[in-house]
Amino acid sequence: MESILVLTHADETGVALTKASLETITAGNELAARLGAEMKIGIVAASPQHLSKGLPYAVLAVQGEPFAQARFSSDAAACVALWRAAQATIVLAPHSSRFARVMAAVAHRVGGAIDTHVTSIAGSSDVEASRWYYRQRIEAVLARTTRPWFLLLDAGTHAPFELDADAPPEEIAIAVELPMLRTEVTGLRAPQQNQQTIRPDAKLLFVAGAGWTKKQPDGQIHVEDAGELILAFLAASGASLGSSKSLVDQGGEGNSVLPFLTHLNQVGQTGSTPRHPKGLATCCHGEEPHVVGWRFVGERRAVSLDPNCGWTRGKADVVYVADAFKVMAKVNEKLGNSQ
Ligand SMILES: Cc1cc2nc3c(=O)[nH]c(=O)nc-3n(C[C@H](O)[C@H](O)[C@H](O)COP(=O)(O)OP(=O)(O)OC[C@H]3O[C@@H](n4cnc5c(N)ncnc54)[C@H](O)[C@@H]3O)c2cc1C
């Protein structure tokens, strides 16, 4: 008989669980219902008291200042202690940077196995975990006999668990024997929110292609206008910014083409495969190595001057054969008026 432990952690405010943690609780909830298994939730946070509120499960929590920050030694010790208290056969955890770097060690310390980048869990009598290989080209379904089996779930694959306002906050404090702590986080340096263009939780992915930097029908290039249009749209819509490889590669040659773009924005076979409900490609040809990165984008639209581009050949749901400079200027105007 399986038993489930869902490991979660606080977000940077410390007073809420991360969205990915809530998604993992949904996955655990569904799995527990299918298997008829007992489920517990483990929390790693400095003050878990606020965080267990609304969770209709037995909650095990470590607490104290050492768990306010992500650090290998304290997080690994915390997860091992939570597992020892729960003794679960299946452990689900979000594939966050905080947990991804400790969970293989945790699985090893408790004699278990681990699989990462899990996107779904199926099976009514057995546990079947799915993940993708070869840049999302092959989907594999994994089953293991080793227990405990740790599964790190990719963000965006499940709906966040809705907290039950009637469930009283209740958790069992779990003591952790901490090793010597040699690392201390003294501060965080992050781009300001309005400079941060990669927003994994955004409803819309906006992709800029190399066409923004090409000669336009007037025979001129308009890179500055392109930059202003794109940044204005991102600010007004809250969309996440993706790019084709051709566009970010231009920046890499020492040319400051669109200075806010880096290779981290690149979507595709050699870039990222983000998950957003909607995507809008602009000035992008929609070639297969780019579009393969759109596998998990729900509804796809594109604006391209080329009526024969890849998007029109079945890669998008809607294609506007139009000048993206004009379309985005009009869209920005409408967004400005609606605010
Ligand atoms: C091994 C390998 C891996 C690769 N990996 C990736 C990857 O991860 N990601 C990726 O993106 N690519 C990748 N590529 C490259 C990919 O094949 C394409 O070359 C690239 O995606 C093309 O970028 P693009 O569509 O922006 O540029 P282009 O092909 O130059 O297309 C520009 C488009 O903009 C349109 N346009 C121009 N002006 C306007 C306007 N005013 N309004 C509207 N449309 C306009 C043009 O009609 C054209 O269709 C890879 C290639 C290889 C070989």
Side-chain angles (χ1 to χ4, degrees):
M1 181 73 179
E2 305 283 15
S3 57
I4 298 167
L5 171 66
V6 177
L7 290 174
T8 64
H9 62 84
D11 65 13
E12 60 278 10
T13 67
V15 295
L17 291 175
T18 60
K19 182 163 169 274
S21 292
L22 293 171
E23 290 180 14
T24 310
I25 295 175
T26 301
N29 191 28
E30 290 170 4
L31 182 64
R34 269 204 315 279
L35 300 178
E38 188 200 1
M39 172 167 140
K40 291 182 176 144
I41 295 179
I43 299 180
V44 179
S47 314
Q49 295 80 358
H50 318 285
L51 308 177
S52 62
K53 193 169 183 302
L55 293 173
Y57 293 98
V59 174
L60 311 173
V62 301
Q63 58 182 302
E65 242 352 83
F67 307 112
Q69 50 186 248
R71 171 178 38 213
F72 179 88
S73 53
S74 44
D75 282 350
C79 292
V80 168
L82 289 169
W83 181 81
R84 291 222 163 100
Q87 297 285 329
T89 57
I90 303 289
V91 183
L92 307 184
H95 200 136
S96 57
S97 59
R98 182 166 185 176
F99 273 176
R101 68 176 168 170
V102 299
M103 218 48 83
V106 175
H108 180 72
R109 286 179 191 182
V110 301
I114 183 165
D115 284 285
T116 59
H117 287 297
V118 172
T119 52
S120 67
I121 305 171
S124 51
S125 56
D126 207 356
V127 181
E128 296 167 0
S130 296
R131 65 157 292 173
W132 295 78
Y133 289 96
Y134 297 106
R135 307 293 316 175
Q136 329 298 347
R137 279 185 165 77
I138 299 172
E139 186 180 17
V141 178
L142 311 169
R144 287 187 188 272
T145 48
T146 307
R147 297 290 184 271
W149 188 17
F150 286 68
L151 299 169
L152 284 183
L153 267 74
D154 269 354
T157 53
H158 292 81
F161 185 78
E162 291 199 12
L163 298 172
D164 176 356
D166 297 331
E170 198 177 324
E171 79 270 329
I172 301 168
I174 303 299
V176 185
E177 204 173 309
L178 283 173
M180 187 176 74
L181 300 179
R182 284 178 298 197
T183 308
E184 192 190 339
V185 180
T186 55
L188 288 177
R189 268 195 238 163
Q192 285 178 353
Q193 196 53 37
N194 58 4
Q195 293 172 343
Q196 178 61 272
T197 58
I198 299 171
R199 302 166 178 155
D201 291 337
K203 294 203 177 97
L204 177 70
L205 169 71
F206 177 87
V207 160
W212 284 106
T213 62
K214 299 260 165 82
K215 272 192 186 156
Q216 292 304 307
D218 63 359
Q220 306 293 317
I221 54 170
H222 298 279
V223 182
E224 280 188 15
D225 295 344
E228 282 169 21
L229 283 169
I230 294 168
L231 287 178
F233 177 71
L234 295 180
S237 65
S240 185
L241 179 63
S243 173
S244 69
K245 178 166 165 48
S246 294
L247 184 56
V248 286
D249 279 354
Q250 291 178 32
E253 291 303 319
N255 313 313
S256 178
V257 184
L258 291 173
F260 46 88
L261 277 174
T262 73
H263 279 92
L264 291 176
N265 293 94
Q266 184 183 320
V267 170
Q269 180 181 339
T270 42
S272 64
T273 314
R275 293 168 190 272
H276 299 274
K278 293 183 178 181
L280 176 66
T282 52
C283 294
C284 169
H285 198 69
E287 283 182 29
E288 179 60 16
H290 173 73
V291 178
V292 73
W294 284 61
R295 186 168 291 249
F296 301 121
V297 175
E299 188 190 316
R300 307 164 175 200
R301 297 191 178 201
V303 186
S304 174
L305 278 179
D306 186 351
N308 280 318
C309 71
W311 300 111
T312 56
R313 294 170 180 243
K315 302 268 171 35
D317 302 302
V318 178
V319 182
Y320 306 97
V321 179
D323 183 337
F325 281 83
K326 292 189 183 146
V327 173
M328 294 317 296
K330 194 82 194 155
V331 170
N332 285 346
E333 189 187 311
K334 281 183 180 281
L335 283 172
N337 289 343
S338 66
Q339 280 176 356

